[in-house]
Structures are given as C-alpha cells and as structure tokens.
Amino acid sequence: MKVLGIKNIIRKDVPIYYRMFFSGCACLELVANNSVERQIDFSIEIKPTGLKEILVVLAEPVDYPLVPLIRALKVAIEDLDKNGNLPF
C-alpha cells in the first residue's frame, strides 16, 4: 500500500486558531498497479506542548485494513505540512 498523493485540498474556515480542518482526495495504490481515489477529511491540531496531532477520517469505504492506511495518510499529511504545501 502506498499513498501516491493528496490533491484538491481545501481548508475549512474555523475560528479556532490552533485547529486546521481540511478535505481532499487521496490517491492510493492499494495493490500493485491498482490505484483508487477516496475523499478524506483531516485535521491538524497544535497541542499546548507544541506537538501536532493529525486526525484522518475516510469519507468513503476502502477495501483495505484501516490502521496501516490511516498511518500512511498521516505521514503524507505531515510531509505536506512540513513542506508548506497545505493551503492557508
């Protein structure tokens, strides 16, 4: 399983400054040469300690175990955040 990317990321307007909510379309390669696209919602919350907590919710069902899928999506979202590729 591999996350090919997350596209069409839209930031939702939330008045809480330490929480950011987004929605987008995750491109996933679940089995060799079999890619699917699924809608996801995710949030990034900055804790009082300065650590960032990422929560991911799949809007559509996926025929794959969720724990490794969510873990891979969190890593991809963390990379997008570190590189500054998330919308403001």
Side-chain angles (χ1 to χ4, degrees):
M1 198 283 303
K2 185 168 37 170
V3 177
L4 301 176
I6 301 173
K7 59 183 182 179
N8 301 332
I9 301 173
I10 298 170
R11 183 173 177 173
K12 299 175 183 178
D13 189 27
V14 178
I16 302 172
Y17 70 92
Y18 57 88
R19 259 188 215 155
M20 299 174 284
F21 290 95
F22 300 92
S23 63
C25 184
C27 301
L28 309 166
E29 184 178 335
L30 302 177
V31 185
N33 298 327
N34 184 14
S35 62
V36 296
E37 293 185 359
R38 294 291 187 257
Q39 282 296 117
I40 62 168
D41 295 319
F42 61 94
S43 66
I44 301 174
E45 181 177 348
I46 302 170
K47 298 290 184 180
T49 58
L51 297 175
K52 293 184 178 181
E53 180 181 358
I54 300 172
L55 300 172
V56 179
V57 176
L58 293 165
E60 302 174 54
V62 178
D63 190 25
Y64 196 82
L66 288 180
V67 172
L69 181 62
I70 297 291
R71 188 178 305 132
L73 284 170
K74 285 182 179 182
V75 169
I77 292 167
E78 186 177 7
D79 288 341
L80 287 173
D81 185 42
K82 282 183 181 176
N83 295 330
N85 294 331
L86 291 175
F88 288 100

